[in-house]
């Protein structure tokens, strides 16, 4: 059996383990909130209002397990997610229609908002990705869609397909009072009890939330109207994002992992052991103590030239 759902040499691993994913994850929640029906499901059924940080950490755990968890671990998590979704329904107050959480349209929207946010944000943050790698990432994520009950054929398989989906969906998106309130929660979330020791550092979260907002498509920012535009526009947002990523990359892994749930960290530790047993090597040696661990497959060359990021080609207009 393969040691992890996604191999360390996959594009999924390259994106999902990048530390700019904190911004990408919050951005995804802000983008998802623009779907009025999906937002009602979150508003009525989840603890988002009382614990937005908890929802972000649960999303981080899902991304982690479906990236470096074992196939058995990811299948079990997917089954739990599908079981919970099957039991939940809500009423859209605008139409009076009853909706199931696991409706295909809603699941596809959530999937595409996440994939586009993860790809767009990490790329802008400085993760080197070629055009082919960006397409590969979207295609690799079609497998992840299966964990929530979708078929790979339900979701886009390339960047152009993803862009066409977002363009088709945009006319149905709008800012509801609940969506605007959700963005405010994400800009200044409650610190969960297990991270109470971080409460004095809560102001440090605002740059993450503000950058998540600033990297939304321009039409979405204008619709929300929650924060003023950054002086310098898109270029300033990209520069700030890259600076934040550079700062986070300097945090040693043992301290960085304190931000995650214990189950997420445990899954990472178990993945490391499985990879080492499968013949992978720690590619950055002692430097892994000062940053995050990078793995090299047994047959990979040791002197591969670094990728050079191409000019920006955003997913979203």
């Amino acid at each position: 059996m393969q040691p992890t759902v996604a191999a360390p040499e996959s594009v999924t691993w390259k994106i999902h383990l990048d530390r700019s994913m904190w911004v990408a994850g919050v951005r995804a929640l802000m983008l998802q909130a623009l779907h009025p029906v999906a937002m009602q499901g979150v508003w009525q059924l989840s603890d988002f209002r009382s614990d937005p940080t908890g929802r972000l950490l649960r999303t981080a755990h899902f991304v982690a397990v479906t990236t470096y968890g074992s196939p058995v671990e990811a299948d079990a998590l997917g089954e739990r997610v599908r079981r919970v979704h099957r039991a939940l329904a809500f009423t859209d107050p605008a139409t009076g229609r009853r909706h199931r959480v696991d409706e295909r349209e809603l699941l596809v929207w959530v999937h595409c908002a996440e994939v586009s946010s993860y790809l767009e944000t990490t790329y802008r943050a400085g993760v080197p990705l070629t055009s082919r790698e960006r397409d590969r990432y979207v295609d690799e994520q079609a497998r992840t869609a299966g964990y929530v009950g979708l078929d790979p054929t339900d979701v886009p398989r390339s960047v152009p397909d993803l862009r066409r989906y977002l363009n088709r969906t945009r006319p149905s998106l709008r800012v509801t009072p609940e969506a605007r309130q959700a963005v405010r929660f994400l800009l200044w979330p409650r610190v969960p009890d297990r991270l109470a020791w971080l409460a004095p550092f809560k102001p440090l979260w605002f740059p993450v939330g503000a950058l998540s907002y600033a990297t939304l498509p321009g039409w979405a920012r204008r619709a929300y109207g929650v924060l003023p535009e950054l002086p310098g526009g898109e270029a300033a947002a990209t520069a700030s994002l890259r600076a934040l990523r550079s700062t986070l990359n300097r945090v040693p892994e043992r301290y960085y992992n304190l931000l995650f749930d214990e189950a997420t960290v445990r899954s990472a530790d178990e993945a490391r052991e499985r990879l080492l047993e499968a013949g992978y090597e720690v590619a950055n040696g002692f430097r892994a103590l000062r940053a995050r661990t990078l793995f090299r497959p047994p047959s990979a060359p040791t002197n591969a030239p670094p990728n050079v990021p191409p000019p920006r080609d955003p997913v979203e207009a």
Side-chain angles (χ1 to χ4, degrees), residues 244-257:
L244 177 65
R245 176 177 181 253
S246 178
T247 300
L248 291 175
N249 282 342
R250 293 187 175 92
V251 179
E253 197 168 72
R254 63 184 180 276
Y255 298 125
Y256 182 76
N257 284 346

Side-chain angles (χ1 to χ4, degrees), residues 1 244 260:
M1 187 193 319
L244 177 65
F260 296 93

Side-chain angles (χ1 to χ4, degrees), residues 63-262:
V63 170
V65 171
T66 56
T67 301
Y68 56 67
S70 71
V72 172
E73 182 184 8
D75 286 343
L77 177 60
E79 173 54 36
R80 288 198 298 274
V81 169
R82 295 192 300 274
R83 185 171 62 250
V84 170
H85 284 179
R86 283 195 298 268
L88 296 176
F90 62 95
T91 300
D92 179 5
T95 63
R97 179 183 167 188
R98 192 75 172 162
H99 291 271
R100 288 169 52 109
V101 169
D102 61 356
E103 286 180 12
R104 177 186 173 278
E105 177 188 345
L106 300 182
L107 294 178
V108 171
W109 165 249
V110 170
H111 172 86
C112 291
E114 289 177 350
V115 170
S116 63
S117 290
Y118 300 164
L119 179 56
E120 172 85 1
T121 306
T122 56
Y123 186 51
R124 287 181 68 177
V127 176
L129 295 167
T130 65
S131 177
R132 181 174 297 179
E133 286 177 317
R134 298 197 295 277
D135 279 334
R136 275 176 50 202
Y137 173 70
V138 177
D139 188 61
E140 289 172 4
Q141 287 309 291
R143 175 178 179 177
T144 304
Y147 291 116
V148 298
L150 290 169
D151 188 273
T153 60
D154 289 332
V155 298
R157 303 296 294 266
S158 68
V159 168
D161 286 347
L162 179 59
R163 188 180 294 119
R164 282 190 287 270
Y165 169 82
L166 294 170
N167 287 338
R168 286 198 310 272
T169 307
R170 180 175 165 182
S172 64
L173 305 178
R174 60 186 174 86
V175 175
T176 62
E178 293 85 356
R180 188 171 282 111
Q181 190 64 28
V183 166
R184 293 194 175 103
F185 283 136
L186 290 167
L187 288 171
W188 196 252
R190 185 183 71 82
V191 178
D193 292 340
R194 70 169 210 81
L195 294 177
W197 60 275
L198 280 175
F201 303 98
K202 184 177 177 180
L204 296 177
W205 173 261
F206 186 75
V208 175
L211 273 176
S212 304
Y213 182 90
T215 54
L216 286 168
W219 63 265
R221 299 194 306 272
R222 290 189 293 273
Y224 271 127
V226 172
L227 291 179
E229 290 291 300
L230 280 179
E234 297 286 347
T238 299
S240 299
L241 184 58
R242 292 191 172 210
L244 177 65
R245 176 177 181 253
S246 178
T247 300
L248 291 175
N249 282 342
R250 293 187 175 92
V251 179
E253 197 168 72
R254 63 184 180 276
Y255 298 125
Y256 182 76
N257 284 346
L258 294 174
L259 297 172
F260 296 93
D261 283 335
E262 291 180 8

